[in-house]
């Protein structure tokens, strides 16, 4: 799965995960510390309020505490008794108002309650307070969370109870939790944004390397990387530039060699072609056994002529021939080149394409159209038509043939040098015509592809960046 993620995506993901991890740890620590502090503060406040109310209740019920006196090496304290005429409910009603949701008193084995039900108190909490301990417990009453607190009020077996609502505390903790989660998510998003920015800056040299390498792969061998002063990338740039320079020199040398050989072959080739023409003119005078070998030799000489011409064309491109650009009317050029190559009218120009023009090398563009039409005539049952219409990059030129079509696995290979589809047959071609077409279309910043023609056959589609003059 990670292998499918781009390098930029990995950097962004690393930054995002790092930010998410740090924010998560910080959120957990903050939540733990703050929530524990708030809970402890709330419990301490509730216990203090309940103890104060218990002390006030004890004073109202029993009066001031009697001083203890020593007796026989121990201290004796008198058990407090209720003051005469004191109403327990009135004393409980006179307690200062607090946030307590309920107050209850267990006195002399009897319950007194202003609000709340003693049955809602846990038995162990009641038992702990009656035995003289200060106890507290978080419970739910009526579906609401409360903190129940019990304190003794001076006599063994008597205790005072209150419970304090925790809804506001729980709401505060819930809001803090949501805030921390949102902050963690926001931090992760910021980390992704920072990771994208960092990856853009860090991978900029790699993007430049990719661009230059792609240019070299497309035949622009003079493309170079700026070396700069970066100690980490300077060596890579210099090594790449040296490799590209060596490749450029090698290709130029090979192109010169092919051009020189082709030029040297032209003279003997013309001699052989003229001699063959002379022999064919006197074909009727030849013995019958010699006529078929002469015809085969003539076909091979014609293929040899095409090979020399194509090699000269390719060596011219590989040798750095930049050509000359001029404004041409595409409809007129295609019509003339296609009809001449087919020997008949095969071109149909859409009305919206009549005025389209292009900065082009006429020789190269004419060669593109002628090669496509000759390919259809020689190898694909004949040219069914050439179309010119506006669209794509500017103008779309289609060349249809009547052949069996080209399989999907061969559609890219037919544009390679000496690449021929399985249905090409022997014919007169040498496998360089479509390679020249692809080079010349690329030289014009266009595209070429092969599709199926409606009704059968192949359709070559050329798109060029044309505009209306």
């Amino acid at each position: 799965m990670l292998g499918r993620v781009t390098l930029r995506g990995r950097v962004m993901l690393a930054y995002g995960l790092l930010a998410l991890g740090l924010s998560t740890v910080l959120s957990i620590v903050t939540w733990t510390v703050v929530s524990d502090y708030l809970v402890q503060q709330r419990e301490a406040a509730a216990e203090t309020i309940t103890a104060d109310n218990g002390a006030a209740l004890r004073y109202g019920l029993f009066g001031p505490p009697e001083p203890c006196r020593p007796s026989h090496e121990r201290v004796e304290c008198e058990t407090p008794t209720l003051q005469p005429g004191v109403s327990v409910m009135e004393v409980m009603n006179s307690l200062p108002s607090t946030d307590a949701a309920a107050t209850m008193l267990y006195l002399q084995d009897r319950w007194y309650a202003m609000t709340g039900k003693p049955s809602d108190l846990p038995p162990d909490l009641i038992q702990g307070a009656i035995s003289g301990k200060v106890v507290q417990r978080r419970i739910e009453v009526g579906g609401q969370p409360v903190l129940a607190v019990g304190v003794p009020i001076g006599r063994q077996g008597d205790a005072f109870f209150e419970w304090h609502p925790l809804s506001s505390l729980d709401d505060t903790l819930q809001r803090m939790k949501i805030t921390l989660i949102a902050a963690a998510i926001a931090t992760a998003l910021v980390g992704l944004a920072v990771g994208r920015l960092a990856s853009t800056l860090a991978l900029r040299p790699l993007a430049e390397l990719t661009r230059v390498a792609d240019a070299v792969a497309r035949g622009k061998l003079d493309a170079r990387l700026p070396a700069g002063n970066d100690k980490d990338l300077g060596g890579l740039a210099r090594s790449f530039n040296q490799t590209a320079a060596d490749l450029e020199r090698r290709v130029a040398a090979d192109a010169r060699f092919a051009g020189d050989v082709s030029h040297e072959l032209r003279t003997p080739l013309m001699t052989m072609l003229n001699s063959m023409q002379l022999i064919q003119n006197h074909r009727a005078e030849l013995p019958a056994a010699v006529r078929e070998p002469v015809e085969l030799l003539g076909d091979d000489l014609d293929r040899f002529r095409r090979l020399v011409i194509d090699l000269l064309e390719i060596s011219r491109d590989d040798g750095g021939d930049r050509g000359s650009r001029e404004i041409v009317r595409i409809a007129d050029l295609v019509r003339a080149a296609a009809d001449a190559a087919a020997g008949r009218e095969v071109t149909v120009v859409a009305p919206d394409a009549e005025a389209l023009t292009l900065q082009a090398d006429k020789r190269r563009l004419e060669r593109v159209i002628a090669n496509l039409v000759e390919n259809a005539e020689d190898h694909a049952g004949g040219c069914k038509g050439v179309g010119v219409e506006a669209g794509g990059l500017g103008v779309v030129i289609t060349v249809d043939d009547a052949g069996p079509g080209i399989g999907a696995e061969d559609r890219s290979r037919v544009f390679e040098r000496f690449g021929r589809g399985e249905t090409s047959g022997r014919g007169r071609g040498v496998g360089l015509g479509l390679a020249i077409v692809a080079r010349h279309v690329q030289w014009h910043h266009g595209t070429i592809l092969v599709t199926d023609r409606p009704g059968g056959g192949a359709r070559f589609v050329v798109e060029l960046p044309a505009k209306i003059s």
Side-chain angles (χ1 to χ4, degrees):
M1 181 64 71
L2 187 60
R4 301 179 183 177
V5 182
T6 63
L7 182 57
R8 186 186 302 275
R10 295 179 192 178
V11 174
M12 290 177 55
L13 186 61
Y15 271 85
L17 291 177
L18 178 61
L20 180 61
L22 291 176
S23 61
T24 300
V25 171
L26 183 60
S27 298
I28 292 174
V29 172
T30 302
W31 165 261
T32 303
V33 173
V34 175
S35 62
D36 287 349
Y37 174 77
L38 292 178
V39 170
Q40 290 175 5
Q41 288 293 104
R42 180 56 176 156
E43 291 176 350
E47 187 175 314
T48 300
I49 293 173
T50 304
D52 291 344
N53 286 341
L57 182 62
R58 180 183 184 282
Y59 186 85
L61 292 175
F62 303 109
E66 295 292 335
C68 299
R69 59 180 182 274
S71 174
H72 302 290
E73 299 180 355
R74 62 177 179 173
V75 178
E76 293 182 354
C77 297
E78 293 185 3
T79 302
T81 57
L82 285 173
Q83 298 185 77
V86 172
S87 171
V88 176
M89 296 302 295
E90 289 181 0
V91 174
M92 292 181 65
N93 192 42
S94 66
L95 293 176
S97 60
T98 62
D99 66 347
T103 56
M104 291 163 284
L105 174 64
Y106 186 73
L107 180 66
Q108 296 179 349
D109 301 327
R110 181 181 176 186
W111 283 100
Y112 301 87
M114 294 293 298
T115 54
K117 300 178 180 179
S119 58
D120 292 329
L121 294 173
D124 57 337
L125 183 135
I126 298 173
Q127 193 62 39
I130 291 176
S131 63
K133 300 177 182 177
V134 176
V135 292
Q136 57 176 299
R137 178 78 58 80
R138 182 188 178 100
I139 61 174
E140 284 193 5
V141 178
Q144 297 296 322
V146 297
L147 181 65
V149 182
V151 296
I153 58 172
R155 294 199 322 171
Q156 188 72 22
D158 298 336
F160 176 64
F161 301 90
E162 286 185 338
W163 62 58
H164 303 264
L166 296 177
S167 299
S168 60
L169 175 62
D170 288 350
D171 291 342
T172 301
L173 294 177
Q174 184 67 21
R175 286 195 297 270
M176 185 176 70
K177 182 188 298 183
I178 294 174
T179 302
L180 291 175
I181 293 175
I185 295 174
T187 305
L189 295 177
V190 172
L192 289 174
V194 173
R196 180 175 180 81
L197 177 61
S199 63
T200 300
L201 296 177
L203 299 179
R204 186 173 296 169
L206 183 59
E208 181 67 14
L209 173 61
T210 302
R211 183 188 66 79
V212 175
D214 181 65
V216 172
R218 287 185 286 105
K220 191 177 180 182
L221 301 180
D222 59 346
R224 297 293 184 270
L225 277 174
N229 298 321
D230 193 319
K231 295 181 180 180
D232 297 321
L233 299 175
L236 174 62
R238 287 188 291 271
S239 298
F240 179 88
N241 291 340
Q242 182 63 42
T243 302
D246 292 342
L247 178 62
E248 184 179 18
R249 286 193 294 270
R250 177 67 179 273
V251 170
D254 291 345
R256 285 194 300 270
F257 176 76
D260 293 341
V261 170
S262 300
H263 277 291
E264 292 297 326
L265 288 175
R266 292 183 70 179
T267 300
L269 177 61
M270 291 303 299
T271 301
M272 288 187 289
L273 287 172
N274 291 333
S275 301
M276 178 56 64
Q277 186 63 44
L278 179 62
I279 294 173
Q280 288 179 343
N281 290 339
H282 296 82
R283 181 175 179 277
E285 302 174 10
L286 296 175
V290 179
R291 292 175 186 174
E292 184 176 357
V294 168
E295 291 178 359
L296 294 176
L297 181 60
D299 290 341
D300 283 342
L301 280 175
D302 185 61
R303 293 182 69 245
F304 190 31
R305 178 186 63 83
R306 286 173 174 261
L307 174 61
V308 171
I309 294 174
D310 289 344
L311 284 176
L312 284 172
E313 187 75 17
I314 289 179
S315 65
R316 185 182 293 117
D317 280 351
D318 290 344
D321 179 20
R322 298 184 180 276
S324 59
R325 293 183 183 272
E326 58 183 298
I327 297 178
V328 298
R329 293 178 65 90
I330 298 176
D332 295 340
L333 184 147
V334 172
R335 187 182 290 114
D339 294 351
R344 63 187 186 280
E345 292 186 3
V346 293
T347 307
V348 177
V349 180
D352 58 357
E354 286 286 356
L356 292 176
T357 62
L358 171 66
Q359 284 276 355
D361 184 324
K362 287 185 63 176
R363 180 187 63 80
R364 282 185 167 96
L365 197 52
E366 288 172 349
R367 189 66 184 274
V368 167
I369 304 303
N371 279 13
L372 289 176
V373 173
E374 289 175 359
N375 181 75
E377 289 287 308
D378 295 341
H379 308 299
C383 179
K384 297 293 290 184
V386 178
V388 182
E389 59 184 18
L393 298 175
V395 64
V396 178
I397 304 170
T398 58
V399 179
D400 295 338
D401 63 43
I406 299 176
E409 66 279 2
D410 292 330
R411 291 181 181 178
S412 60
R413 193 168 65 243
V414 294
F415 295 109
E416 298 175 358
R417 296 183 183 183
F418 302 103
R420 304 173 65 184
E422 295 181 359
T423 59
S424 306
R426 175 177 171 81
R428 296 183 296 166
V430 294
L432 290 177
L434 294 181
I436 294 173
V437 168
R439 289 289 296 272
H440 288 352
V441 170
Q442 185 181 31
W443 189 90
H444 286 91
H445 307 292
T447 62
I448 182 170
L449 54 86
V450 188
T451 62
D452 293 324
R453 180 179 71 88
R459 168 173 290 177
F460 287 81
V461 182
V462 178
E463 292 188 14
L464 298 171
K467 61 182 180 180
I468 298 177
S469 58

